[in-house]
């Protein structure tokens, strides 16, 4: 987290997903991860906008071993790439769905996992279930819609 990405992390702590969108004439592309420039046309005329929190599953892999904190206590978990409704692809985690039920193209919805002071609990998401009171940081993860 730094001054540039602070709006992204503040929104996540409130249960909202933000994207960056190019404002340059003839471009208008949305992108994720947040950058200070458009990765398509290189314009620096980009701004934050709310995402719908809707996505489809592009691909996934089940992680059975990860020695890095805090992931070691979560194995096995589903690491995934999703296509956001706005266009960008995003690396994330799929929760609340057994791996055999996952399907390419399945509809997903964002929710947020609090990290730090909140201890890692679910703090809401696209369904409008509130924010992350007490969470130092929240990360977007996805579950079946």
């Amino acid at each position: 987290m730094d001054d540039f990405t602070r709006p992204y992390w503040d929104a996540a702590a409130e249960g909202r997903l933000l994207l960056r969108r190019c404002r340059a004439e003839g471009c208008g592309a949305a992108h994720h991860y947040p950058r200070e420039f458009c990765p398509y046309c290189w314009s620096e005329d980009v701004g934050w906008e709310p995402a719908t929190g809707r996505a489809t599953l592009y691909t996934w892999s089940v992680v059975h071993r990860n020695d890095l904190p805090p992931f070691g206590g979560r194995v096995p978990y589903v690491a995934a790439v999703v296509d956001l409704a706005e266009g960008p692809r995003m690396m994330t985690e799929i929760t609340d769905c057994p791996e055999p039920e996952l399907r390419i193209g399945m509809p997903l919805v964002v929710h947020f996992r609090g990290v730090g002071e909140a201890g890692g609990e679910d703090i809401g998401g696209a369904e409008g279930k509130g924010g992350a009171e007490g969470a130092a940081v929240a990360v977007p993860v996805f579950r079946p819609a």
Side-chain angles (χ1 to χ4, degrees), residues 64-114:
H64 294 279
R65 181 176 174 160
N66 188 335
D67 296 330
L68 298 173
F71 303 104
R74 293 190 194 145
V75 293
Y77 63 90
V78 177
V81 176
V82 301
D83 288 325
L84 298 173
E86 294 78 10
R89 284 201 171 133
M90 177 179 180
M91 293 184 67
T92 187
E93 181 180 346
I94 305 298
T95 64
D96 305 321
C97 185
E99 192 269 339
E101 294 179 20
L102 294 172
R103 299 288 179 264
I104 298 298
M106 75 184 299
L108 304 167
V109 65
V110 73
H111 66 112
F112 294 84
R113 175 182 291 136

Side-chain angles (χ1 to χ4, degrees), residues 15-33:
R16 298 181 298 115
L17 181 62
L18 293 182
L19 298 175
R20 299 281 283 173
R21 184 171 299 275
C22 182
R23 298 177 186 150
E25 187 174 332
C27 184
H31 62 271
H32 185 80
Y33 64 92

